[in-house]
Amino acid sequence: MPLPDGDAEDTVIDEACKLLRLPTIRERFEELAADARRDQFSYKQFLADLLQTECADRDVRRKQRMVRAAKFPRPKRLEDFDYEKNPNVLPEVVGSLRSGSWVRAGRPLVLIGDSGTGKSHLLIGVGTAVAELGMSVRYTTTAALVNELAEAEAGKRLTGVIARYTKVDLLCLDEFGYLNLDKKGAKLLFQIFTEREERKATAVASNAPFGEWDKTFTDPRLCSAIADRLTFKCTLIQTGTESYRLQATEAEQHTSP
């Protein structure tokens, strides 16, 4: 049976794309058909072009969806990190994290440095790169996670919440060491680390060096156990003490009229 012409033909294509869930082809088939006529594509070339365009756009949408699911507080990319302003951070070390092999191996990442030295930028940037590889990522602060766990325990939902955090390929935990945790809070956090140990990757950004973690985890045994789980086979990046946010502010003030 011959295909309809003109507007009816467009309608058939539109409805078929809806049914087959091909939004890019649906939006761009006229443009791509015009390109094919201009370049004198064969039918096979035109079909290949259509399908490649749909696949490429689908990959972009998948990356965007995975990044949104991570719930980062703001967009940060590794490409935008200024290594000149923070020479403590080695580009080759950060670059090695892009492949995601450490995430698949369930290895930790620990970022330590003072406020304004780029810890959160790197944490979010690494998490974004991993999410774009198609792995599940979840960002949260230490305080928010501990509060969520405490509320879940009070509501008898703790097992489910721990299971949800255990399944994530990469857990990005920011502001680690910014608050003092009582024994109950430390125990709840310890459960997350224990469930993820050597199976799922955890990345933390802390303003406190390892020797000061006892101020966050006041129970010595819990402190030692948490430090042990986060440092075993970890990649350690120390961002130093000089805030380049402060440097940028000072530079801006000097150049202002």
Side-chain angles (χ1 to χ4, degrees), residues 3 9 32 36 43 61 66 70 81 85-86 94 102 104 125 132 139 147 155 158 174 180 217 231 238 248:
L3 287 172
E9 193 174 65
L32 295 170
Y43 292 132
R61 295 196 303 272
M66 296 299 287
F81 189 82
K85 289 184 178 177
N86 194 335
V94 174
W102 62 283
R104 297 184 188 94
E132 290 181 342
Y139 170 98
N147 287 338
L158 184 60
D174 208 350
N180 295 333
F217 305 101
T231 56
Q238 299 189 66

Side-chain angles (χ1 to χ4, degrees), residues 63-179:
K63 289 179 179 179
Q64 292 172 340
R65 186 171 62 252
M66 296 299 287
V67 171
R68 283 196 303 271
K71 298 185 178 180
F72 297 117
R74 54 198 171 276
K76 293 288 183 182
R77 303 192 65 86
L78 293 179
E79 296 89 334
D80 300 325
F81 189 82
D82 194 335
Y83 294 99
E84 289 186 4
K85 289 184 178 177
N86 194 335
N88 296 297
V89 180
L90 301 178
E92 56 270 27
V93 174
V94 174
S96 70
L97 300 171
R98 289 177 177 272
S99 70
S101 58
W102 62 283
V103 177
R104 297 184 188 94
R107 292 176 53 190
L109 166 65
V110 179
L111 302 155
I112 292 180
D114 283 1
S115 179
T117 58
K119 300 185 306 301
S120 291
H121 186 143
L122 290 172
L123 184 69
I124 295 171
V126 167
T128 298
V130 170
E132 290 181 342
L133 290 173
M135 288 182 272
S136 58
V137 179
R138 180 70 166 89
Y139 170 98
T140 185
T141 63
T142 306
L145 178 56
V146 170
N147 287 338
E148 184 179 357
L149 293 172
E151 289 174 5
E153 184 180 45
K156 299 182 179 180
R157 298 178 289 104
L158 184 60
T159 301
V161 172
I162 289 178
R164 176 156 46 85
Y165 277 102
T166 300
K167 292 176 183 177
V168 176
D169 293 318
L170 173 62
L171 174 61
C172 295
L173 195 56
D174 208 350
E175 299 178 8
F176 191 83
Y178 279 73
L179 72 165

